[in-house]
Amino acid sequence: MEILNYAFMQRALLAAVLVGITAPAIGIYLVQRRQALMGDGIGHVAMTGVGLGFLLSWSPVWMATVVSVLGAVLMELIRWYGRTRGDIALAMLFYGGMAGGVMFINLSPGGSNANLTSYLFGSLSTVSESDVTAICLLAAFVVLVTVGLRRQLFAVSQDEEFARVTGLPVRALNLLTAVTAAVTVTVAMRVVGLLLVSALMVVPVAAAQQLTRSFAATFAISVALGVSVTIGGTVTSYYQDVPPGATIVLLTIGAFILLSVLAAPLARRRARALAAAQSTADPAECKIPATRRVADEVGV
């Protein structure tokens, strides 16, 4: 293929595959926790890291990772202790992150807002070898956490109180989820962009849920869909000269609409099967509690 003759496209495609794997892999836990927009907030904070990278002449990817992780930990602490004023604190954190990024990059030597464009919306031609190295290392961390600790993370995402009763370190796992989401944002920003990465973390999961009910199947389909749309969007961007981030997100939304249409007959069959099962169900006192079903699925 002609596209593989160019080194920058080889790097872009490798980065796209890694983004397609990591974004839905952590996104499934955020969706379960009803924190679908967490990636968007972290993306705002990561802008400060990008600006600091330019100002200090250090890798914007690594600096964005450090700042994003700190921001994610702060967001989780605000969620724990913020109470009624937590939303105000989060708003200041998000918009302060955006303002800090713009300010720092304009203070950097020869810097301007134009330097932020590739980080905000993604860019194929600017993915360097050092970026690929950073993305590979960060992606390995995300996969290790989301797959290796899937049972524990799923249990906490479903029911924190039950997970705490079973002896799981709920706060530590919540912090780890937030940190992993922050790392995923920096993995994806060179391909999708900071302003669009949240869509790739959420929409493939929502699309997979149209067809599946089990966690394992949803995880597998969402990752497969993520890889498909990132590769498809990257290739389309090369041949049609369109923005990669916007193309990937639009393809993802299109896949969600298509799967929603295809899933309608399946949902009707499930509803009929459920109605038939309920007519012959066990008495209420014999039913398995919801928390026990969660434990059975994750093996806790």
Side-chain angles (χ1 to χ4, degrees):
M1 293 177 64
E2 175 194 351
I3 191 173
L4 296 178
N5 292 333
Y6 301 98
F8 79 95
M9 283 307 302
Q10 295 173 9
R11 295 192 295 269
L13 286 170
L14 176 58
V17 170
L18 295 176
V19 170
I21 294 172
T22 55
I26 186 61
I28 191 170
Y29 300 107
L30 299 182
V31 171
Q32 294 289 333
R33 291 157 56 97
R34 294 178 175 82
Q35 294 179 332
L37 296 180
M38 185 177 185
D40 188 53
I42 295 175
H44 286 66
V45 176
M47 289 178 61
T48 292
V50 174
L52 278 174
F54 279 101
L55 180 63
L56 301 177
S57 299
W58 203 47
S59 168
V61 174
W62 286 114
M63 184 61 78
T65 302
V66 173
V67 174
S68 296
V69 167
L70 292 176
V73 171
L74 184 56
M75 288 168 60
E76 192 62 27
L77 293 176
I78 291 173
R79 188 175 75 89
W80 291 344
Y81 304 113
R83 299 183 187 275
T84 56
R85 295 186 178 273
D87 57 339
I88 298 175
L90 288 175
M92 289 191 294
L93 180 64
F94 296 164
Y95 297 119
M98 293 183 65
V102 174
M103 179 62 70
F104 288 137
I105 203 165
N106 277 276
L107 291 176
S108 63
S112 67
N113 291 343
N115 297 115
L116 278 176
T117 302
S118 64
Y119 293 91
L120 292 176
F121 304 104
S123 175
L124 296 180
S125 60
T126 57
V127 179
S128 64
E129 291 185 5
S130 61
D131 288 336
V132 171
T133 301
I135 290 171
C136 288
L137 293 174
L138 295 172
F141 168 78
V142 173
V143 171
L144 182 65
V145 171
T146 56
V147 176
L149 296 176
R150 63 189 182 280
R151 298 179 184 277
Q152 294 87 339
L153 294 178
F154 178 80
V156 173
S157 299
Q158 286 292 309
D159 190 334
E160 287 191 5
E161 291 302 321
F162 178 73
R164 187 174 289 109
V165 169
T166 62
L168 291 176
V170 172
R171 287 194 171 181
L173 290 171
N174 282 337
L175 276 175
L176 182 60
T177 300
V179 169
T180 306
V183 171
T184 303
V185 168
T186 56
V187 169
M189 70 179 182
R190 300 301 277 144
V191 176
V192 185
L194 292 173
L195 296 184
L196 298 174
V197 62
S198 185
L200 195 58
M201 297 169 74
V202 173
V203 180
V205 177
Q209 287 177 335
Q210 304 302 308
L211 299 176
T212 65
R213 289 297 179 267
S214 73
F215 173 79
T218 301
F219 189 98
I221 293 177
S222 61
V223 169
L225 181 59
V227 172
S228 299
V229 295
T230 50
I231 292 178
T234 302
V235 173
T236 301
S237 177
Y238 171 77
Y239 285 109
Q240 301 299 323
D241 193 23
V242 291
T247 305
I248 290 170
V249 171
L250 290 176
L251 285 177
T252 309
I253 294 174
F256 172 81
I257 295 173
L258 177 61
L259 291 180
S260 297
V261 173
L262 295 176
L266 180 61
R268 287 194 292 268
R269 286 198 297 271
R270 283 175 175 164
R272 289 195 295 268
L274 180 61
Q278 287 177 341
S279 64
T280 59
D282 293 334
E285 61 270 17
C286 297
K287 291 182 179 178
I288 300 174
T291 52
R292 186 63 259 166
R293 290 198 301 269
V294 172
D296 289 340
E297 178 162 353
V298 300
V300 176

